[in-house]
Amino acid sequence: LISIPQGGESIPPEIAEDICITPRDQFEDSDSFTNQIYDVGNFVEEQVNSTIARAFVDNSRGRDQLPPEYPDGLIKSATCYNKPIYKEGRQPDLITTSLLIDRYYSAYHERLQDALLNPRAIIALDCHSMAEIAPDVSPDRGNERPLINLGDADGSSCDPSITELLRHSFIEIFSINEEEVTINRPFKGGFITRNYGNNPTPWIQIEINRKLYLSPEYISYDTLQMRGNRLTEINIQFRQVLIKFAEAM
């Protein structure tokens, strides 16, 4: 089962008139292009992805993670770089918040739960990207990050030996040094991995460093459009990782 919870780009029509976030800020807050990087379609048993941008509905948060206590929660008040999302006084009220949760967040998790009923989906991968340098809201703020990070909640969402097989598959297929593929550092796994992990399906969270595809050589930041075939190249590598991982298991 492939889950891509933060790769959407759309703005919910319910709040379209209330936002002030710029396209660049929305782009930098999202797991931009992960819907393309991890899209393997019928290559796997089940695949679930989001079309709504993370800045507006974050499927990788708990239902109770709401502002003002959680500004970077399910329904956000600011981006992970502390850029405002809504016009002054236009933050979603309780009715709109409930509507957004019901229509988008709950719908995503219902699709996940349906996918988990497939007995052939024997392991689940929650697929993300991460900034090259950690933003201020992150526990590793200001630090440079590895190329790949795998999270299994310290072994509680997946047997560590299985996570290690996936780690070595990334090392071999991406041809990178062992220290560039970490486990539970900096991310141990978000809400989806911890909530569904080993219940009974094992879950691993995958984080790919954006410098692998969002460096200036690959993208124009004036237009936010990719140059060349870098997304296709990484998508092919990810498919090869899955093959190697399946063989190892």
Side-chain angles (χ1 to χ4, degrees), residues 177-190:
N177 295 330
E178 289 197 12
E179 62 269 20
E180 289 287 5
V181 184
T182 60
I183 296 177
N184 296 317
R185 182 177 56 83
F187 296 107
K188 296 184 179 183

Side-chain angles (χ1 to χ4, degrees), residues 116 156-158 192-203:
L116 285 167
S156 65
S157 70
C158 179
I192 289 175
T193 301
R194 289 181 282 106
N195 185 61
Y196 295 108
N198 273 341
N199 191 27
T201 305
W203 282 74

